[in-house]
Amino acid sequence: MAATVSLPFSLDPQPHHHRLHHHRATTQIKPHQSPFPTPNPPQPLLSFPKPGRYYLPLSSSSSSSSSSSAPSQTLEDPFRTGRFLTSEELQKLQFLSEFSYHQELKSGSLSVRVMMAEEMDTVVALLAESFGESMLLPSGYVALLGFLVKQYLIERRALLPHAATLVGFYKEGEGEELELAGTLEVFFDRRGASDSVPSPTPPKDSPYVCNMTVTKPLRRRGIGWHLLKAGEELISLMSSSREVYLHCRIIDEAPFNMYLKAGYSIVKTDSILILLTLQRRKHLMRKELQVSDSPSDFCDFKEELPSLAD
């Protein structure tokens, strides 16, 4: 499942979408600490691993799905940006390092948090595979696409805490392994906005959700819906703006219906002339987040979304 592609190269700007169901959220996990890769040195063309199982211990905490604490100038930052941060940015960075969203599904459990540096190659593999699938690219092109995706993710991580990439980990049952389930990207403000966002262009001052995808073996389990809900929850806690934007291709009926059920509405649609640039026509959609006393209120949507074909 995907909201849109906003990579800095000219490709069809919409990965394959998948419609998923929803259940109820409760507990909290916390991320590992890891060094942040410097964005300056050129990266070699790598053979990225296929998205698969990724080990991560779950916390037994039953507290709120998000938390924060005051930063200090000596904070050991798990998301090092390589640049000077203001006190406000340090506080937001600390908050991002502690954010988590946990969801019990019918088939297992899902935990969502901000991507760590050591997880980047696995996320790159998932995104490259998804983009290649949606654009019907030859398999040999996926490695090159992965190289470009990795450059993009490195550049985006340098914008923390003004933007963040979320990752979801799925666990089938007690004693089973955790595996990477999906990812999405969130822009919180103008400083986190990308110049490569496709048309119709959303306001740069408003939060924006994009590059959402779910790994093939785990589609149709509710993961896409909860990636979106986790992104909305994080936006509500990180941004003063209540408006959230995303893109949806006109041809993607199932995700379009899901976005409607989630409260999004069409703001603008691409002109038919966009087809001359070899791009798909897209809707720009917007949702106004409701003020919530508790982050868990975002998970109280009781309606079961119908299962549709991928």
Side-chain angles (χ1 to χ4, degrees), residues 1-3 15-21 51-52 105 110 112 122-123 125-127 129-131 133 166-170 179-184 210-228 258-259 310:
M1 177 174 184
H16 190 56
H17 288 64
H18 296 274
R19 175 81 171 274
L20 306 151
H21 345 279
L105 308 176
L110 176 72
V112 182
T122 307
V123 173
L126 172 57
L127 287 170
E129 184 180 34
S130 177
F131 297 163
E133 175 191 357
L166 299 184
V167 287
F169 290 95
Y170 177 79
E179 55 186 310
L180 179 66
T183 182
L184 84 160
C210 63
N211 297 338
M212 178 164 63
T213 190
V214 175
T215 189
K216 275 186 178 181
L218 297 178
R219 290 169 182 169
R220 298 170 59 89
R221 302 194 188 199
I223 292 170
W225 174 272
H226 287 290
L227 284 171
L228 180 61
M258 189 195 77
Y259 294 141
D310 292 346

Side-chain angles (χ1 to χ4, degrees), residues 9 18 22 27 44 66 70 84 98-99 137 163 166 188-190 194 216 220 241 279 285 293:
F9 44 88
H18 296 274
H22 169 271
T27 60
S66 305
F84 176 78
E98 297 181 355
F99 172 80
L137 295 176
L166 299 184
F188 299 117
D189 52 36
R190 177 177 288 272
S194 171
K216 275 186 178 181
R220 298 170 59 89
S241 174
Q279 297 184 56
M285 304 185 73
D293 293 331

Side-chain angles (χ1 to χ4, degrees), residues 138-159:
S139 58
Y141 190 74
V142 174
L144 174 59
L145 186 58
F147 168 75
L148 298 173
V149 170
K150 186 167 185 177
Q151 303 311 301
Y152 172 80
L153 286 185
I154 290 173
E155 292 172 3
R156 297 303 299 169
R157 279 182 63 85
L159 295 175

Side-chain angles (χ1 to χ4, degrees), residues 48-52 54 118-127 180:
F48 296 107
K50 289 287 185 182
Y54 185 92
E118 66 269 19
E119 297 157 359
M120 182 176 292
D121 280 355
T122 307
V123 173
V124 166
L126 172 57
L127 287 170
L180 179 66

